[in-house]
Amino acid sequence: MIVSRTPLSTRLWAAAIWVLVGFFVLNLAGLIGSVVTSSFATRWLGTWLPAGFTTKWYFAAWDEFQLGDVLWVTFQVVGSVVALAGLFGVPAAYALARRDFPGKKAVLLLLLLPLLVPPVTYGIPLATVLYKSGLGGSLAGVILANLVPTVPFVVLVMIPFIEQIDPRIESAARVFGANTLKVFIYVLVPILLPGVLAALLLVLVRTIAMFELTFLVAGPGSQTLVVALYYAVFAAGVRAVQSIDAMAVIYMVTTLVWLIIALRFVNPTQIVARAKRSNT
Amino acid sequence: MTAASSAARDSGPTLAQRLRIRGLDGVTLLVVPCVLLAIALFVYPFFYGLWLSFQPKNGGAALTNYQRFFTEPFLSKTIWTTLRLALPVTLLNLFLAVPIAFRVRLMKRQRLLTTILVLPITLGTVLIAEGMLFYFGPQGWLTRTLMWLGVISQPLHVVHTYWGVFLSLVIAIFPFTFLLTLSYVTGIDPSLEQAAATLGASPAARFREIFLPLLLPGLAITFCLSFVQAFSVLPSAVLVGDPANTTRVISIAAYQAAFEEYDYSLASAIAMIMGAVQLMVVVVVLGGRTLLYRGPVAAAKG
């Protein structure tokens, strides 16, 4: 689009924006690079690069923070949240996309509110309720708390996706005698699968990174990786800083792998554009 | 299952037909589990918290907690502290995101750059905080580079100040703001711009007259969704901020009341005030939106 006839001011403006992007990316790389370098460092005081490199901090972090347990808890929480969010969210999105019923606006508002209210605001009353009912600090409590923002997220992402599927495909299946179950298994599941996978991958990344809610609800045995990392940084001083960094790198790699998988399936701009249209 | 339950509920075909005309049938019932879940996990705790906030821990009038919040500067100041962080961060992110999104829109291979810019989403505020302690610290690479270049003679005081939290929030929230903005920008029909260009409008005029009016409603929503994230800042305010003083945000106050003083009543009151302030900002921004143009921005997309 940009041809050589573009005026100087436009080119200067473009250059300024690229410098800005470069500056942001450079600092980001430096920030991540410091943590990664430190996690492999033997001793790093007052120099550009550490004195030597080692992988021992990864083993130290694994033992010190019981990372095996923490990763298992994270896996259980994230797996359950993803499955339940899909189970609750997708059928509701289907109903909201296909039917116009009285009170639909109220339902949409009910689902939009958890995304518009800061997690700490409903997290504290929710934590109180969960502790009262004996679920506070347990794995189930953490899973329930994480469902609050993720189910509405799945619904709002899926509604526009379902709306763009021609309802005549389902009608055609019904004309040929398929009942609801058969329509669901042979028609809807194959068509919806890409959208559902995309939404659930985003839920997965969100849940791994969800700090506030998990932090408020989790007990000693139900901390996910991000909360364990927070406590490690918060109570730093007693432990070698490198082993905390090793843990941070493990956390980053865990999320990064899933994000890259998600981005292979989803065009990030489109998924937000779809979510956007449902919000307006 | 749903078909059976709807059949059981409807007493006769006429009622079922009447309901179906209004949009109520087996498919509609699929929304019920989701609504029940939202009521159990969001609405009920919310009202429970509201009720609890009127039941002070040590007895007294119903509004004791709210009175305490607004009379003790240690508590009431947190609203201002939070807004002073969240509003500039959100605005700066928007001002950065719009021009970058306009550049990225013209690129053939957007995917790589988008992925790099979205990367901080995976880091989470905790890792960003940890990285900032290193990178901006007195022995960090940034300080070293700047001192080597002779730009500064003393190490920067970024970490454990207001600016530490500010920067960490900019890094953490920018990807989200950028993605939303990019999707709004790419959603605008390019032929509108071409038409303006054909008629001789300069790039600045095209932005001002064509894009900005179309973009503002979307930017208002982007502002709200980004603001929620900045407003509930907790980990970075503690880890890279000055949590006793200039970055004692409202969520720290709520957390301390709940889990250090075990005063759930006061904590709920603070949470309610927090939600109210947040929603007020959203209402002001979205209320302003109704004054703007609302309508199709792309011929093919509607």
Side-chain angles (χ1 to χ4, degrees), chain B residues 70-91:
Chain B
F70 287 107
T71 48
E72 276 183 34
F74 188 58
L75 291 174
S76 56
K77 221 178 60 186
T78 55
I79 294 184
W80 168 236
T81 309
T82 318
L83 285 178
R84 210 168 61 110
L85 261 174
L87 281 176
V89 164
T90 316
L91 284 175

Side-chain angles (χ1 to χ4, degrees), chain A residues 195-244:
Chain A
V196 173
L197 275 182
L200 291 186
L201 274 169
L202 291 173
V203 165
L204 188 132
V205 174
R206 268 181 78 113
T207 312
I208 297 178
M210 185 46 157
F211 174 78
E212 283 91 353
L213 282 176
T214 315
F215 177 63
L216 291 174
V217 176
S222 53
Q223 286 175 8
T224 58
L225 196 52
V226 63
V227 176
L229 181 61
Y230 172 82
Y231 280 119
V233 180
F234 186 68
V238 284
R239 297 190 181 90
V241 80
Q242 288 98 326
S243 67
I244 297 172

Side-chain angles (χ1 to χ4, degrees), chain A residues 30-45:
Chain A
L31 204 145
I32 300 170
S34 319
V35 179
V36 175
T37 313
S38 167
S39 73
F40 286 110
T42 47
R43 195 166 159 279
W44 191 12
L45 288 169

Side-chain angles (χ1 to χ4, degrees), chain A residues 35-41 54-64 67 242-243 245-250 253:
Chain A
V35 179
V36 175
T37 313
S38 167
S39 73
F40 286 110
T54 172
T55 54
K56 72 170 178 182
W57 300 113
Y58 284 85
F59 298 102
W62 192 270
D63 293 336
E64 253 181 87
L67 274 192
Q242 288 98 326
S243 67
D245 293 329
M247 185 169 168
V249 172
I250 294 175
V253 170

Side-chain angles (χ1 to χ4, degrees), chain B residues 12-80:
Chain B
T14 44
L15 181 63
Q17 279 166 353
R18 281 213 306 272
L19 284 173
R20 185 155 296 164
I21 289 166
R22 301 201 63 195
L24 288 165
D25 62 0
V27 172
T28 317
L29 291 178
L30 290 173
V31 86
V32 171
C34 181
V35 168
L36 289 180
L37 186 84
I39 289 173
L41 292 177
F42 181 73
V43 178
Y44 169 69
F46 189 83
F47 281 102
Y48 177 77
L50 192 64
W51 174 80
L52 197 66
S53 71
F54 293 117
Q55 312 277 326
K57 191 186 172 196
N58 303 320
L63 287 171
T64 307
N65 282 323
Y66 292 91
Q67 258 170 2
R68 190 178 152 199
F69 184 90
F70 287 107
T71 48
E72 276 183 34
F74 188 58
L75 291 174
S76 56
K77 221 178 60 186
T78 55
I79 294 184
W80 168 236

Side-chain angles (χ1 to χ4, degrees), chain A residues 1, chain B residues 103-111:
Chain A
M1 269 201 70
Chain B
R103 269 299 125 198
V104 170
R105 174 186 70 116
L106 301 172
M107 287 170 65
K108 283 273 185 315
R109 300 172 61 83
Q110 318 176 341
R111 204 139 179 158

Side-chain angles (χ1 to χ4, degrees), chain A residues 1-278:
Chain A
M1 269 201 70
I2 304 174
V3 285
S4 52
R5 288 185 292 109
T6 7
L8 183 67
S9 60
T10 312
R11 273 183 289 167
L12 274 179
W13 175 239
I17 290 168
W18 287 125
V19 168
L20 189 73
V21 172
F23 183 73
F24 182 81
V25 173
L26 187 75
N27 280 293
L28 190 66
L31 204 145
I32 300 170
S34 319
V35 179
V36 175
T37 313
S38 167
S39 73
F40 286 110
T42 47
R43 195 166 159 279
W44 191 12
L45 288 169
T47 44
W48 282 91
L49 284 173
F53 292 96
T54 172
T55 54
K56 72 170 178 182
W57 300 113
Y58 284 85
F59 298 102
W62 192 270
D63 293 336
E64 253 181 87
F65 302 110
Q66 285 108 34
L67 274 192
D69 294 344
V70 172
L71 281 174
W72 173 235
V73 167
T74 312
F75 177 78
Q76 282 174 299
V77 168
V78 171
S80 317
V81 168
V82 166
L84 288 172
L87 219 58
F88 280 101
V90 176
Y94 183 74
L96 287 167
R98 283 283 185 257
R99 294 287 183 273
D100 239 340
F101 53 89
K104 184 173 164 178
K105 282 224 163 103
V107 171
L108 281 173
L109 183 70
L110 176 70
L111 294 174
L112 197 58
L113 267 180
L115 298 177
L116 274 182
V117 174
V120 177
T121 299
Y122 59 82
I124 286 181
L126 179 65
T128 317
V129 169
L130 287 175
Y131 274 107
K132 278 222 167 18
S133 61
L135 285 169
S138 71
L139 205 61
V142 174
I143 294 168
L144 285 177
N146 273 294
L147 285 179
V148 178
T150 47
V151 170
F153 181 79
V154 171
V155 175
L156 293 177
V157 170
M158 286 305 293
I159 289 176
F161 186 82
I162 296 171
E163 273 173 347
Q164 66 171 20
I165 295 170
D166 196 337
R168 281 176 300 184
I169 298 174
E170 292 152 54
S171 310
R174 288 205 186 266
V175 168
F176 288 113
N179 57 23
T180 308
L181 189 70
K182 278 190 174 155
V183 169
F184 182 74
I185 294 174
Y186 294 110
V187 179
L188 285 178
V189 168
I191 294 179
L192 292 182
L193 208 57
V196 173
L197 275 182
L200 291 186
L201 274 169
L202 291 173
V203 165
L204 188 132
V205 174
R206 268 181 78 113
T207 312
I208 297 178
M210 185 46 157
F211 174 78
E212 283 91 353
L213 282 176
T214 315
F215 177 63
L216 291 174
V217 176
S222 53
Q223 286 175 8
T224 58
L225 196 52
V226 63
V227 176
L229 181 61
Y230 172 82
Y231 280 119
V233 180
F234 186 68
V238 284
R239 297 190 181 90
V241 80
Q242 288 98 326
S243 67
I244 297 172
D245 293 329
M247 185 169 168
V249 172
I250 294 175
Y251 168 75
M252 182 175 71
V253 170
T254 318
T255 5
L256 200 61
V257 167
W258 288 108
L259 185 81
I260 288 171
I261 295 176
L263 287 180
R264 282 202 70 80
F265 286 104
V266 200
N267 183 350
T269 59
Q270 270 180 10
I271 195 87
V272 186
R274 284 172 183 160
K276 164 206 94 183
R277 277 195 290 157
S278 67

